[in-house]
Amino acid sequence: GSTALKIGSKVEIIGSKTPGGHLGKKGEITRFIDASNNPEVKLEGGHLVSFYKDDVKALLDVPASPLPVQESLALKVGSKVEIVGSLTPGGHTGKKGEVTRFVDA
């Protein structure tokens, strides 16, 4: 069976119904854009593209490798950030902003 598409799924573009020549590219589903569950995918270069779901195949979940330490310590006040996780309630995944302060130790 095929792996179900869901927000955060790593995917590969396997079809070419969607214009733009994205076949073979990889990315991550950021949201679904309509009732047909056609996904918007953030491609590995940062572009957000809406695809026909037939063009997208979920990749098998491989455990994410932990970030190098310097990467995880790089957040500081004024850092430009993008919300990439969904642990914080409110559906902010994909939004961009700037760190203004740290609220805990």
Side-chain angles (χ1 to χ4, degrees):
S2 66
T3 309
L5 296 177
K6 55 186 187 292
I7 292 174
S9 290
K10 301 279 188 234
V11 295
E12 181 175 358
I13 309 312
I14 56 160
S16 53
K17 285 185 185 169
T18 307
H22 299 292
L23 190 64
K25 293 185 181 172
K26 292 182 171 65
E28 183 176 318
I29 294 179
T30 54
R31 66 188 178 115
F32 292 97
I33 55 169
D34 58 24
S36 303
N37 278 338
N38 288 315
E40 177 184 75
V41 176
K42 181 179 182 188
L43 296 171
E44 285 173 334
H47 293 292
L48 289 173
V49 181
S50 300
F51 285 94
Y52 290 105
K53 66 177 179 237
D54 295 347
D55 283 355
V56 177
K57 178 182 135 223
L59 297 171
L60 291 174
D61 281 334
V62 283
S65 53
L67 290 174
V69 171
Q70 72 271 16
E71 192 90 289
S72 58
L73 296 178
L75 281 182
K76 56 188 186 299
V77 172
S79 291
K80 298 279 188 242
V81 294
E82 178 177 357
I83 310 308
V84 295
S86 56
L87 294 175
T88 306
H92 300 293
T93 304
K95 294 182 181 171
K96 293 180 171 49
E98 185 175 311
V99 175
T100 55
R101 67 189 176 112
F102 292 96
V103 294
D104 55 26

